[in-house]
Amino acid sequence: EAQVTQNPRYLITVTGKKLTVTCSQNMNHEYMSWYRQDPGLGLRQIYYSMNVEVTDKGDVPEGYKVSRKEKRNFPLILESPSPNQTSLYFCASSLSFRAMNTGELFFGEGSRLTVL
Amino acid sequence: AQSVTQLDSQVPVFEEAPVELRCNYSSSVSVYLFWYVQYPNQGLQLLLKYLSGSTLVKGINGFEAEFNKSQTSFHLRKPSVHISDTAEYFCAVSAAAGNKLTFGGGTRVLVKP
């Protein structure tokens, strides 16, 4: 089954404790992206990757890091989480950048993160 | 730069009644427009999209949307909703020659029996 898998789905942590949210897709997609969803603000892009070893900042990259060492994986790293990073996070992938721009994005089920 | 405004944050509606979700966008260039649906505890799914051609676009589950360039709108409609349409709906825009999707703030639809 074609899917985007995120882990963990739920996490409660404390300020300053490094954490990683993993994202894996099995569709051989080139493009991958991370979003955060906050009430009334919709989805805002954190980082994206056009292909292996190619990453770039989105609209809200502060406090986050990413890497793309393999095509299927795109982990999101919070080096020192703070309470304002409490949010619902989505990973998404697309066959290509062009497919993304025509709306063909496949989303994971989300990871709800709470930072105390 | 592009932006999207969804005018209603919540829309309660009775089962079998019609619903309209409003979306306005801002962009200085040609755009592509999208509606996504997010069911509880799930990721977003593409409901429908406008790239070019007919301004009336039909999507899955009986939804349709109309692109109105003069009013910079892309409102979503369904003539008769079901309980299963309870979800959050997001309007999104991308520039035709652009590199990102911009999402609106979302509209929660609660269908009541």
Side-chain angles (χ1 to χ4, degrees):
Chain A
E1 181 189 352
Q3 58 187 359
V4 178
T5 303
Q6 299 177 222
N7 280 295
R9 295 287 313 281
Y10 303 92
L11 179 63
I12 300 175
T13 189
V14 295
T15 298
K17 186 176 181 182
K18 180 179 178 179
L19 68 92
T20 299
V21 185
T22 64
C23 173
S24 181
Q25 50 90 7
N26 62 359
M27 296 170 278
N28 201 36
H29 283 174
E30 289 185 348
Y31 181 93
M32 297 186 74
S33 182
W34 276 103
Y35 296 88
R36 58 177 289 172
Q37 181 182 2
D38 301 291
L41 298 178
L43 276 74
R44 293 178 292 167
Q45 191 179 51
I46 303 171
Y47 270 95
Y48 65 95
S49 169
M50 297 250 218
N51 214 326
V52 177
E53 301 291 2
V54 181
T55 63
D56 209 346
K57 296 177 180 179
D59 296 318
V60 288
E62 295 78 20
Y64 304 95
K65 285 175 59 177
V66 293
S67 67
R68 187 92 182 272
K69 293 184 171 58
E70 305 165 285
K71 199 171 188 179
R72 63 184 293 127
N73 296 323
F74 190 45
L76 179 70
I77 303 156
L78 286 72
E79 293 270 2
S80 182
S82 62
N84 65 12
Q85 293 178 298
T86 291
S87 187
L88 179 59
Y89 292 86
F90 286 100
C91 180
S93 73
S94 186
L95 184 63
S96 64
F97 163 75
R98 183 161 183 79
M100 176 283 297
N101 204 49
T102 59
E104 298 297 335
L105 264 180
F106 292 81
F107 284 83
E109 293 186 319
S111 296
R112 186 168 292 281
L113 171 64
T114 301
V115 183
L116 301 176
Chain B
Q2 61 214 26
S3 65
V4 181
T5 302
Q6 291 183 241
L7 297 160
D8 307 294
S9 59
Q10 293 188 69
V11 173
V13 57
F14 286 105
E15 195 173 17
E16 298 184 6
V19 70
E20 178 179 82
L21 308 185
R22 297 178 293 167
C23 172
N24 286 92
Y25 70 92
S26 163
S27 176
S28 57
V29 297
S30 295
V31 296
Y32 298 150
L33 293 155
F34 314 92
W35 277 97
Y36 289 85
V37 59
Q38 183 183 30
Y39 298 109
N41 299 312
Q42 295 186 27
L44 279 71
Q45 305 173 36
L46 184 63
L47 197 55
L48 51 79
K49 63 181 173 182
Y50 170 80
L51 302 181
S52 65
S54 172
T55 57
L56 183 62
V57 180
K58 294 189 185 298
I60 60 173
N61 298 338
F63 284 92
E64 63 180 33
E66 186 155 20
F67 170 52
N68 188 319
K69 188 174 181 180
S70 62
Q71 296 187 9
T72 60
S73 68
F74 191 55
H75 301 332
L76 180 71
R77 302 184 183 94
K78 185 169 181 177
S80 175
V81 296
H82 302 128
I83 296 288
S84 59
D85 292 321
T86 293
E88 188 157 18
Y89 294 79
F90 292 93
C91 184
V93 63
S94 69
N99 66 352
K100 64 179 288 187
L101 279 176
T102 300
F103 289 86
T107 299
R108 286 189 182 274
V109 172
L110 176 59
V111 181
K112 303 177 181 180

